[in-house]
């Protein structure tokens, strides 16, 4: 085919009409989600008080491989989709590799990351079901910004609890949330019992994602017509993100290629699942041999070094018990610059796929990730989010192997977001002060052993 084409776009009518639900086709279904008290298997109804009903149904759906995308959601996807599939000629040249490198550019979304792909459907289903208010937590603010925008699109009020230290140190995402009319509260706050308890004991508490989740959940449970939303980890979030891979599949066809390797960075798994599952389908059904690589930070390596077991999804232990790869819900990752990857566990579906050997994972130190991100920026003109830098680092490792072996492999990675609001992290890298924080085996073992005591 024509090797000179740089970017591949789909016309609007080619934007997916269905999401792909891998749960229906995986060789082994995920283990059930359990009530922490009774240890009984949960059903969608058990989650109705917290999330929109349709999202609860999607969460547990193991029968329908294709789930229709409601037309109002597609209308909103049209504001930024399709996203371009880009051939990284510049990066290939910089590396001198015979590999063909492609990336799916999710950074072109109005909020700068893939998170909007799920924020839109979550807000839509809430609106359809008569909900008036949505709430969530956010760390660095990518998810909060996406939810704030999606809530505004569908006329919902959004209340976001932002971890206090991020609220103070990363003021621009707070400003973005406010631009879309969201009420942003630094967490811990005096507005909830969970927040009050912590603030009374520790008036200068910097906040944590665990506390912010507790505050958002409490608000949802105590406010009429208010639902909680989450930007990663859950099955329905991964489902919505499959628009990434479904588009990429068509665009790779336009390029006349099929990926040998698919790579994405990994926090809770949503962007990895999004780009991988539509291609993994062909490994499961059509005997394709594509490799899928999740790139996680060495400071928070749940897939490469965590344990597969039941654990809570949050630090406070409010959520159901999830069967997943985890470092333990009390694990506190070092305060690295890839804030969106600092989560102790992996989603339930990916965990099962990992256990079954359908995918791989690598962990990457933060200086290697910024080396990769800077090289990519200079070669392709896009400054990647610190999270996405991990995917780029893993891609470079594979492309250099191709160079060594003279192999012309096709590598596809997901550029989950741009880094234009994260330049403070790049400053730290350029100053030479950035340190690596690989977690020790002892710390992981101690943390997992703690789970058995609880
Ligand atoms: C949130 C975020 C991630 C990590 O979340 P996943 O659910 O693992 O995809 C990665 N990249 C960016 C830009 C993010 O905002």
């Amino acid at each position: 085919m024509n090797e000179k084409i740089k970017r591949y776009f789909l016309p609007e009518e080619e934007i997916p009409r269905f999401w792909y639900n891998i749960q229906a086709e995986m060789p082994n279904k995920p283990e059930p989600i359990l009530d922490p008290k009774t240890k009984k298997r949960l059903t969608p109804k058990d989650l109705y008080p917290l999330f929109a009903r349709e999202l609860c149904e999607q969460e547990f759906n193991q029968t329908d491989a294709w789930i229709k995308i409601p037309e109002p959601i597609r209308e909103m996807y049209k504001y930024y989709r399709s996203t371009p599939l880009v051939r990284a000629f510049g990066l290939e040249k910089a590396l001198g590799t015979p590999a063909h490198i492609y990336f799916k550019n999710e950074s072109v979304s109005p909020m700068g990351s893939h998170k909007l792909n799920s924020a839109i459907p979550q807000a839509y289903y809430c609106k359809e079901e008569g909900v008036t208010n949505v709430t969530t937590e956010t760390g660095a603010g990518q998810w909060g910004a996406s939810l704030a925008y999606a809530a505004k699109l569908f006329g919902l009020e959004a209340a976001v609890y932002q971890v206090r230290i991020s609220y103070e140190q990363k003021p621009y995402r707070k400003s973005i949330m406010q631009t879309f009319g969201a009420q942003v509260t630094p967490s811990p706050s005096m507005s909830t019992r969970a927040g009050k308890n912590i603030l009374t004991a520790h008036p200068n508490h910097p906040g944590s994602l665990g506390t912010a989740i507790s505050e958002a959940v409490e608000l949802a449970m105590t406010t009429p017509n208010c639902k909680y939303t989450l930007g990663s980890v859950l099955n329905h979030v991964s489902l919505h993100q499959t628009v990434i891979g479904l588009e990429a599949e068509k665009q790779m066809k336009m390029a006349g290629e099929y990926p040998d390797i698919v790579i994405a960075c990994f926090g809770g798994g949503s962007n990895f699942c999004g780009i991988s599952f539509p291609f993994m389908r062909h490994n499961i059904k059509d005997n394709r041999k594509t490799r899928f690589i999740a790139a996680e930070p060495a400071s928070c390596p749940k897939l490469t070094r965590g344990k597969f077991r039941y654990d809570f999804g949050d630090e406070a232990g409010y959520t159901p018990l999830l069967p997943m790869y985890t470092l333990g819900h009390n694990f506190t990752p070092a305060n690295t610059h890839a804030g969106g990857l600092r989560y102790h566990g992996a989603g339930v579906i990916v965990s099962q796929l990992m256990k079954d050997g359908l995918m791989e994972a690598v962990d990457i130190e933060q200086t290697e990730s910024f080396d990769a991100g800077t090289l990519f920026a200079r070669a392709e003109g896009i400054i990647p989010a610190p999270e996405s830098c991990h995917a780029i680092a893993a891609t470079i490792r594979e492309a250099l192997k191709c160079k060594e072996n003279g192999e012309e492999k096709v590598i596809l990675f997901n550029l989950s977001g741009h880094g234009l609001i994260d330049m403070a992290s790049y400053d730290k890298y350029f100053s030479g002060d950035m340190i690596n924080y690989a977690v020790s085996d002892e710390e992981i073992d101690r943390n997992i052993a703690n789970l058995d005591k609880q």
Side-chain angles (χ1 to χ4, degrees):
M1 297 285 284
N2 189 343
E3 290 208 1
K4 296 259 162 55
I5 296 176
K6 175 71 177 163
R7 299 193 302 164
Y8 298 87
F9 287 95
L10 297 172
E12 285 184 1
E13 66 269 18
E14 295 278 331
I15 295 172
R17 291 173 195 277
F18 294 84
W19 291 299
Y20 173 56
N21 178 26
I22 199 169
Q23 285 198 80
E25 299 190 323
M26 342 175 14
N28 295 314
K29 307 286 184 214
E31 314 267 336
I33 295 171
L34 303 179
D35 182 308
K37 289 204 189 76
T38 63
K39 300 281 177 337
K40 280 214 186 96
R41 178 191 271 261
L42 292 182
T43 65
K45 278 204 180 63
D46 295 314
L47 299 184
Y48 281 1
L50 207 49
F51 300 104
R53 288 173 174 216
E54 184 56 33
L55 298 170
C56 300
E57 298 298 335
Q58 291 175 1
E59 189 65 22
F60 289 87
N61 188 328
Q62 299 192 335
T63 45
D64 305 311
W66 299 99
I67 293 179
K68 188 153 177 47
I69 304 177
E71 210 43 43
I73 295 175
R74 277 191 83 243
E75 287 306 312
M76 290 307 167
Y77 278 164
K78 285 181 189 169
Y79 279 58
Y80 63 101
R81 308 205 69 85
S82 65
T83 63
L85 176 81
V86 187
R87 174 84 184 263
F89 287 120
L91 182 63
E92 289 172 17
K93 191 166 164 218
L95 298 171
T97 177
H100 294 192
I101 304 175
Y102 293 83
F103 63 92
K104 183 70 168 153
N105 188 0
E106 289 296 306
S107 83
V108 303
S109 110
M111 294 301 109
S113 83
H114 68 287
K115 294 233 167 51
L116 198 53
N117 299 332
S118 185
I120 290 173
Q122 291 192 48
Y124 167 79
Y125 289 119
C126 284
K127 181 69 182 179
E128 279 296 285
E129 294 174 19
V131 170
T132 54
N133 293 62
V134 286
T135 180
T136 197
E137 74 290 330
T138 196
Q142 287 124 322
W143 169 245
S146 293
L147 185 73
Y149 173 59
K152 185 48 84 187
L153 287 176
F154 292 105
L156 300 166
E157 297 292 328
V160 182
Y161 289 94
Q162 184 171 21
V163 177
R164 177 183 296 277
I165 185 96
S166 306
Y167 180 91
E168 286 164 2
Q169 289 179 352
K170 302 191 174 176
Y172 294 126
R173 285 218 179 77
K174 169 188 67 190
S175 317
I176 294 173
M177 291 185 260
Q178 288 168 338
T179 301
F180 294 108
Q183 183 199 331
V184 187
T185 308
S187 166
S189 77
M190 293 301 276
S191 70
T192 64
R193 186 180 304 202
K196 237 182 247 168
N197 286 345
I198 291 175
L199 273 188
T200 312
H202 311 279
N204 295 318
H205 198 285
S208 73
L209 221 39
T211 307
I213 294 178
S214 306
E215 291 205 87
V217 168
E218 190 181 319
L219 183 73
M221 299 300 281
T222 54
T223 311
N225 279 325
C226 179
K227 295 290 176 194
Y228 173 68
T229 63
L230 194 62
S232 182
V233 184
L234 295 172
N235 300 343
H236 66 260
V237 183
S238 303
L239 173 76
H240 304 151
Q241 294 294 351
T242 58
V243 289
I244 303 173
L246 291 167
E247 285 181 4
E249 198 186 340
K250 290 185 184 172
Q251 291 163 311
M252 291 296 298
K253 224 175 247 166
M254 290 164 78
E257 307 226 62
Y258 191 89
D260 297 302
I261 307 175
V262 176
I263 297 174
C265 67
F266 196 98
S270 75
N271 91 94
F272 172 83
C273 299
I275 192 152
S276 297
F277 289 175
F279 291 101
M280 201 178 280
R281 172 163 194 267
H282 299 297
N283 279 25
I284 296 171
K285 295 179 74 84
D286 311 325
N287 220 14
R288 284 270 186 184
K289 298 276 185 268
T290 301
R291 291 171 59 208
F292 300 92
I293 306 176
E296 50 182 19
S299 58
C300 195
K302 53 254 165 189
L303 288 173
T304 49
R305 296 169 62 203
K307 300 275 179 305
F308 183 86
R309 55 167 294 150
Y310 274 98
D311 194 9
F312 291 105
D314 65 323
E315 256 174 87
Y318 279 11
T319 69
L321 283 170
L322 308 170
M324 62 181 183
Y325 278 92
T326 179
L327 294 164
H329 64 277
N330 295 128
F331 178 75
T332 313
N335 200 2
T336 62
H337 294 276
L341 306 183
R342 293 180 67 231
Y343 182 70
H344 68 273
V348 167
I349 295 174
V350 233
S351 291
Q352 187 65 44
L353 294 169
M354 181 78 190
K355 190 160 168 261
D356 290 341
L358 284 149
M359 54 174 282
E360 313 161 38
V362 292
D363 55 0
I364 288 168
E365 296 275 14
Q366 68 171 350
T367 49
E368 182 183 345
S369 74
F370 278 93
D371 290 345
T374 307
L375 178 72
F376 176 82
R378 290 173 186 175
E380 294 292 333
I382 301 169
I383 298 180
E387 291 86 0
S388 314
C389 290
H390 292 72
I392 299 169
T395 299
I396 291 175
R397 285 186 188 178
E398 291 299 326
L400 291 178
K401 275 187 222 160
C402 289
K403 182 177 179 176
E404 240 175 74
N405 305 330
E407 289 174 312
E408 212 175 272
K409 286 195 176 144
V410 178
I411 306 174
L412 166 66
F413 77 86
N414 192 42
L415 185 72
S416 55
H418 68 66
L420 294 176
I421 310 172
D422 304 288
M423 294 316 290
S425 304
Y426 279 84
D427 282 346
K428 187 94 180 172
Y429 168 71
F430 295 136
S431 73
D433 293 340
M434 185 171 275
I435 31 177
N436 287 324
Y437 295 99
V439 52
S440 71
D441 288 334
E442 292 74 41
E443 189 180 342
I444 295 176
D445 290 346
R446 200 176 334 119
N447 217 59
I448 302 272
N450 269 340
L451 292 180
D452 295 321
K453 287 188 207 132
Q454 287 171 2

